[in-house]
Amino acid sequence: MPDHHASSRTTSEAATSTHAARRVSVLLPLPLAGAYDYLAPAELALRPGDFVIVPLGRRELVGVVWGDAIGDVAAEKLKSIAEKLPAPALTEELRRLVDWVASYTLSPPGAVLRMVMRVPDALLPARAIMGYAISPRGRQALAAQDTSLTPTRRRALQALAEGPAAPAADIARRAGCSAGVVRALAERGLIEAVELRSRPPPALPDWQRSGPPLSSAQELAAGDLIDKVRQGGFGVTLLDGVTGSGKTEVYFAAIAAALERRRQVLVLLPEIALSTQWLARFAERFGAPPAEWHSDLGHAERRATWREVAQGNIRVVVGARSALFLPFPDLGLIIVDEEHDSSFKQEDGVVYHARDMAVVRASLAKLPIVLVSATPSVETTVNVEQHRYDRVHLPARHGSARLPEIRVIDMRRERPERQRFLSPPLVKALAETLENREQAMLFLNRRGYAPLTLCRACGFRLQCPNCTAWLVEHRFHGKLQCHHCGHSEPLPPLCPNCGEAGSFAACGPGVERLAEEVTMRFPAARLAVMASDTLIGPRSAAELVKSVEEHAIDVLIGTQVMAKGHHFPLLTLVGVVDADLGLTGGDLRAAERTFQLLHQVSGRAGRAERPGIVFLQTFMPEHSVIRALISDDRDHFLAMEAEARRAHGMPPFGRLAALILSGPDDESADLAARAYARAAPHMPGVEVLGPAPAPLAVLRGRHRRRFLVKTKRNVNIQAVLREWLARVKVPSSVRVQVDIDPYSFL
Ligand code: ADP
Ligand code: ZN
């Protein structure tokens, strides 16, 4: 985990004397430099963590009492806190996390607080929702077959007699009548207005239900985690096990132990919206679904979940990275599944790594955290080696399932036909799989039809007007799209450069083009494409997963959204169409990430009785990643990666941060870059690389320059950056972004 450089300046619970108006600091969920001082009227009896309404300029805003006053503004000049909100106070642990994350990422604390207060109206008591119930008079009328009741009114009454009280619109819908009919019933006293409970209370997962009997290796691993949950206290454990070894089953046992102790549990999962199988498994194991937290939730659900979490009524939350900032009052365990996944890194706004900050939260709250992976990150592996983290291990797949055999197809020898992308051996394997009535998965980490479209007449390439990026053709949507800014346009009829008509040619494959090839070769095969833009929302992902489970799909073609977690017993063949994709580009983690992704995709094959086989199409069969995959020598590969990082002083052996400047044009970007270069720190143990145009030199119309700061591990890189940033003044049109522990180098 990242070291605790940051001091926690605030949040002293002391000093709650009840003098007339005390002075306190209040943090607002805005990107301001820090908290502001206010007067706290004695009658409000405020304590740190209380949510309050304060005036700011002409506005009134909700903020949090952060601690003692910071400044020395005369009391007469301070404004008063207007009101205290009836919501559970923010715990000290969460306030310290906000300060910690702000300090570590060099973000304004208010910007981090905003992530905690994502649903501001959750702080207000729920508005009462009114509805109608049938009245005694109404029951009588119904029973007496009152002839003055029209058929529609009778239907509406009947609906209420049979079902629960409901809002007028629901009654009308249920009875197939107009709202006027409901009104008329109310006027005649046949139904009466009642206050509805807005939502049923969240169902409690039942820890007493037993899971499947565990194998002895699973039992050992589970026992270790359960002990840690029972003892409490901070500790990080890597749950390391091959795909299909039962890691989920094992950490479910740890969750049960936390629930038994009436504690709350947070599970972080990448791509939670696609994890329908995980949700179903949880519900089956514990008899109730977990609460979900991700960007596809509606506002009402978010609001209710936030509040129920704060009140301790929700016991288990599974979510994407932002769930880390939910206001659990009584967290007892954090699980980070697929801990190596780079989607835990948030790249805009507050730039943070949810796995690392989850470790920080666990340490602040003094509770155990479990990192789960079949392919742990180099960072985590090194932490295990250096005994900062514990490790429990599941060495084999559960039951009779064996790990799949992995074979390389050397594309220099096994060339596909022109404009085709599947080599003869892979086509043959596909044919056999379909003949055996088994399922296949083709993996290609490229959305759309083709990554590049060019003019056959003049070579002109279609480029995004806002970014240094090619436009990607999406035939399903009939559009060219930029994957960086979302720009989209129809394919132009004429080449904008030479004016030739119909001259555009697609270069290279995306998943849509692969689907075309499979259809052409196997017209009878039922296939589906799984990519983030072909799945709209969790429902369609769930439907797709279900149709694969029901064997209504023979060939699944997809990007990395397909690689995660799924368990399809009939899936025996995995074809990786371009194993080299991602190996080039040469960023710090290119090899590691490719290894993890391909290992994970391979792990989809042969998860039940039928053995699986994986084909890797590659032009670089001797590459260390490909060799590690075939020989299944993960530990050697990780050791080599770690050694390379150590040799170059790269994380986790040194520290790294990126400084990204962007301006409205090249000139302003260069000017700012020169100003920062002149002020760059010169000190032992600190190296500044750049400025250089970013690989994505223009993004969303902004011209970008990058610096990379590399320091020894014992250097406080945040302090170095803070000082550097303070020395330079640039025009307000220039944006400066800091990325500590960068994962993207674009
Ligand atoms: P992992 O998370 O390591 O990939 P899972 O927990 O998903 O592995 O387990 C893989 C498959 O094996 C799942 O279908 C799971 O239900 C099954 N499984 C694992 N452990 C057991 C067990 N002890 N008893 C029965 N089934 C198990
Ligand atoms: Zn773009």
Side-chain angles (χ1 to χ4, degrees), residues 293-458:
W293 189 263
H294 49 78
S295 54
D296 286 327
L297 293 184
H299 182 83
E301 201 170 353
R302 239 170 221 284
R303 183 187 180 289
T305 301
W306 196 95
R307 217 178 156 79
E308 301 281 14
V309 166
Q311 290 168 342
N313 299 332
I314 283 179
R315 290 300 165 73
V316 181
V317 175
V318 55
R321 55 196 178 215
S322 59
L324 178 61
F325 293 98
L326 282 170
F328 299 95
D330 198 16
L331 204 51
L333 174 66
I334 302 178
I335 310 271
V336 183
D337 202 350
E338 314 285 10
E339 67 89 26
H340 60 274
D341 199 285
S342 49
S343 72
F344 282 124
K345 181 75 191 282
Q346 167 145 317
E347 297 286 359
D348 44 35
V350 176
V351 180
Y352 69 97
H353 198 302
R355 174 201 60 210
D356 295 346
M357 296 307 120
V359 172
V360 172
R361 184 162 188 173
S363 97
L364 293 173
K366 302 189 178 53
L367 51 97
I369 175 168
V370 183
L371 308 181
V372 184
S373 181
T375 52
S377 60
V378 169
E379 279 80 359
T380 297
T381 312
V382 170
N383 277 320
V384 169
E385 255 158 41
Q386 300 181 347
H387 305 290
R388 279 194 289 267
Y389 293 1
D390 283 346
R391 169 175 181 259
V392 290
H393 188 213
L394 299 175
R397 277 197 165 173
H398 176 72
S400 59
R402 293 285 154 266
L403 282 169
E405 180 193 343
I406 301 186
R407 281 192 211 160
V408 158
I409 299 178
D410 185 342
M411 296 299 274
R412 293 168 305 190
R413 275 183 265 136
E414 303 283 0
R415 287 190 181 272
E417 300 136 51
R418 245 177 74 75
Q419 302 293 333
R420 300 276 179 258
F421 306 94
L422 301 177
S423 62
L426 185 51
V427 172
K428 184 159 163 272
L430 258 176
E432 284 165 7
T433 305
L434 293 172
E435 237 157 68
N436 294 341
R437 320 201 107 265
E438 293 169 349
Q439 291 169 306
M441 179 182 265
L442 293 177
F443 174 76
L444 177 63
N445 210 8
R446 264 195 191 141
R447 289 187 282 141
Y449 185 81
L452 170 67
T453 306
L454 59 70
C455 170
R456 256 187 251 112
C458 73

Side-chain angles (χ1 to χ4, degrees), residues 104-171:
Y104 188 82
T105 60
L106 267 73
S107 310
V112 182
L113 180 64
R114 193 162 51 187
M115 300 197 292
V116 174
M117 293 171 56
R118 280 278 281 277
V119 252
D121 62 345
L123 298 166
L124 306 170
R127 247 178 286 122
I129 299 177
M130 298 305 290
Y132 290 101
I134 187 164
S135 70
R137 244 197 24 246
R139 278 192 201 282
Q140 272 168 20
L142 206 56
Q145 310 247 321
D146 186 335
T147 45
S148 70
L149 277 178
T150 62
T152 42
R153 289 182 186 183
R154 169 175 296 281
R155 269 209 314 279
L157 266 190
Q158 192 71 43
L160 270 185
E162 287 163 4
D170 281 12
I171 301 170

